[in-house]
Amino acid sequence: MKKFAFLAVVLMCLVSCKTDLTDIENRITEVEKDGQSIESKVKQLKDESLRLSDAVKALQTKSEELQKISKELENKSADIEKGTQTLKEELEDLKKTSQDLATQLQTLQDEGKTLSSHLDELEGENNTLVEEWANLQELIAQAQDTIEQLTARIYQTDPRLLHMEFLASENPLQLVEDAECEIIGDSAIECRVLNVMSAKTLIPRFRFTGDYVTIGNQEAVSSKTAFDFRSERLLVVHAGDKKKEYTVTVSAYTGLPTLWAETNARSLSEANSYYRSTISLVDNASYGGTGSLAETSGRIMAQGSLRYYKKKVDWSGETEWGKNDYRLNFTYAVSLLNMPSNTDWQLSPNVEDITMLHNQTAFFMSKISKLDYTPRFHYVDLMFNGRYTGTYMLGESLTAGTSRVNVGDDGYILNIGSNTSGSVFMTSLLEQPVSILYPTSQPASVVKYITNVVKEAESVLFSSGFADKSTGWQKYMDINSFVDWYLINEIAKNTKGAFWSGCIMNYKRGGKLKMGPVWDFELAFGNAGKTSATGFVIKDVSWYRRLFLDPAFVSQVKERFAYFYDHQEDILSNINENAQYLKYAIQEDNTKWDTFASYSSSGLDTWVLYQGQVASMKNWLTERMEWLKKQYDAM
């Protein structure tokens, strides 16, 4: 019973404790909820605190900016106060200036009234002058009428051409600009058209004294009648029973550069003497190209025997000066057509070469050879003392220099041939004399030195041990130049190259005797079909006859000929290019010099005749190469 009572008490305690625990748990739950609520509020307070802190910082920054702005405003306010003071001072100055201007304006107004009065006086004087000028014009017109009447009376029995020209406006399909003609010596008319023309049917404008004018037996009306000026035409001025004849030559720009040479005396009376002149070069018909030369003082000399042209007459009534070789010498070194500057230049006419291609073809072969130097030449049209004188080659004369024959200051340029000048010497076995082209000053010691050099080389060449490479001829003579110079002349079958004329050697002290540069090939390359493509010409010359006895020389000849043989197409292409370049020039040159006169009966025009000659030259060269190949292969 006591145990039961104890248990009941315990049970009642447990129930009571359980009740208390539930309350406590509920209380704890509420406390936890309150804690979470408090944490949330604390977090909110922290966030708010951060926002307030950022706001405070922003306000501080703005406060600092406002302080700066306030400082700037204070400074600007001070500047404004200073500026206001300055403006007040300037305003005072302007007031003073305005008063001064008002005073000056009054003065100018007074002066204006005075000038207006003077102007009225001047207008009256001007009206008087106008009337007097009108009277003078009337008197001038009357005087001109009188002069014309007197001129007509003076020349009414003396026919004469006064002026002639071709206007582009009257020849719109032919001319790009007016071409004024020059009346030379009252017997010839020279006209130069500055553009390329394939035809020359032109309408001339002219003035004359007389009854009427005929050109080629047809009456000519100025600015109306057209004539074909591809060849020279006879212009005749008729006056009653009298007449005056003029030979009209119309030359046209050909696409080539034009060299103008004007001598002081307007003529050359003798050869091999220099005449003072002014020389200019136009690389383009319309404007100066890169290779042009402005008018420059210099000298010009006709070289060798003078040539005249009997069909044409110049201003003195004598036979016209022909197509000669010329030497140009300038006061100072000049560059022509972009060639290296020098004082001495050459003008070659190619009178013995109907193709005008022989020299340039030989020079091209020289350029691709082992020769040290090849003379540079360009085609040009020559206007000599106002007259068209045909197509020439303008280029480098045989002078020493680093850009020409480089033999140094004390070296030599020699010429083997019959046409010699300067100091001359002979050797035992050369067929022709040797002349010294350079140096131009040739005292006895200079002549003796080079004479000994050439004679010693010749002596060794004809000695018993001449073929020894160390002690024989190769010790004194340069094999490369002797072989390539020989082949170029032999391939071209240049008869002058057979040690006859224009065979050039050069020697630099301490070195070896060399052949070259190549020079004068007008009579080569078949000479317009007059020379056979077979047969040797240079190989039979004494020195070369001896050289061909040396196997080393023969071996190199065969090797180098194979080189030229393999470059045939390049040589033929060069011929074609030059021929095409000369298309218009060749026609103008023929008009001047009747180059193709012997072919006139064929009825073909000049260009067709010229192409035939070029084709003949190329065929000859091909045959020559094949013949030589057989000969050298058999050696």
Side-chain angles (χ1 to χ4, degrees), residues 58 148 231 281 303 306 602:
E148 290 179 0
S231 59
L281 179 64
Q303 292 180 293
L306 296 180
S602 65

Side-chain angles (χ1 to χ4, degrees), residues 160-399:
R160 179 174 298 181
L161 187 72
L162 303 177
H163 181 77
M164 183 170 172
E165 62 185 343
F166 297 99
L167 300 183
S169 59
E170 296 174 355
N171 298 274
L173 300 179
Q174 292 285 70
L175 303 182
V176 296
E177 60 181 282
D178 298 345
E180 186 171 348
C181 302
E182 182 179 1
I183 300 174
I184 302 175
D186 205 28
S187 63
I189 303 170
E190 190 80 21
C191 307
R192 176 75 167 165
V193 177
L194 294 180
N195 59 268
V196 172
M197 304 178 68
S198 57
K200 289 182 184 174
T201 302
L202 299 169
I203 299 172
R205 169 177 285 193
F206 51 85
R207 291 185 290 106
F208 66 98
T209 58
D211 298 330
Y212 64 97
V213 171
T214 60
I215 297 178
N217 296 322
Q218 177 185 347
E219 184 172 354
V221 179
S222 178
S223 298
K224 291 185 178 181
T225 316
F227 296 91
D228 185 354
F229 290 99
R230 285 180 296 176
S231 59
E232 289 186 345
R233 304 303 300 266
L234 184 66
L235 182 150
V236 183
V237 182
H238 302 264
D241 295 335
K242 296 184 177 182
K243 63 181 180 179
K244 180 64 178 176
E245 296 183 348
Y246 300 85
T247 301
V248 181
T249 302
V250 178
S251 60
Y253 175 64
T254 64
L256 271 59
T258 304
L259 183 76
W260 299 77
E262 300 285 336
T263 59
N264 291 14
R266 295 287 293 177
S267 66
L268 302 182
S269 58
E270 61 182 28
N272 304 313
S273 295
Y274 276 113
Y275 289 79
R276 286 186 300 161
S277 61
T278 54
I279 301 166
S280 60
L281 179 64
V282 181
D283 197 8
N284 184 287
S286 303
Y287 52 87
T290 57
S292 296
L293 176 73
E295 190 172 279
T296 304
S297 297
R299 301 183 299 167
I300 188 169
M301 174 177 67
Q303 292 180 293
S305 301
L306 296 180
R307 301 185 185 98
Y308 293 92
Y309 195 64
K310 296 180 181 179
K311 290 185 179 181
K312 304 173 189 290
V313 179
D314 69 1
W315 53 89
S316 65
E318 299 173 354
T319 303
E320 185 184 2
W321 190 262
K323 197 176 185 185
N324 291 286
D325 291 84
Y326 295 102
R327 187 80 173 262
L328 304 179
N329 177 262
F330 291 91
T331 307
Y332 56 88
V334 298
S335 173
L336 303 178
L337 299 174
N338 299 315
M339 292 180 280
S341 296
N342 206 289
T343 56
D344 292 294
W345 300 86
Q346 192 79 25
L347 272 171
S348 299
N350 290 310
V351 291
E352 296 177 301
D353 172 18
I354 198 169
T355 69
M356 298 193 190
L357 300 173
H358 295 172
N359 277 311
Q360 288 289 50
T361 303
F363 291 149
F364 176 78
M365 294 172 68
S366 175
K367 288 176 185 176
I368 64 174
S369 75
K370 291 184 178 180
L371 293 178
D372 294 336
Y373 163 72
T374 300
R376 288 168 280 249
F377 275 85
H378 293 271
Y379 292 107
V380 299
D381 287 333
L382 176 62
M383 295 294 294
F384 186 66
N385 285 330
R387 305 195 73 174
Y388 170 71
T389 318
T391 299
Y392 279 71
M393 281 170 48
L394 171 66
E396 299 173 332
S397 56
L398 291 173
T399 55

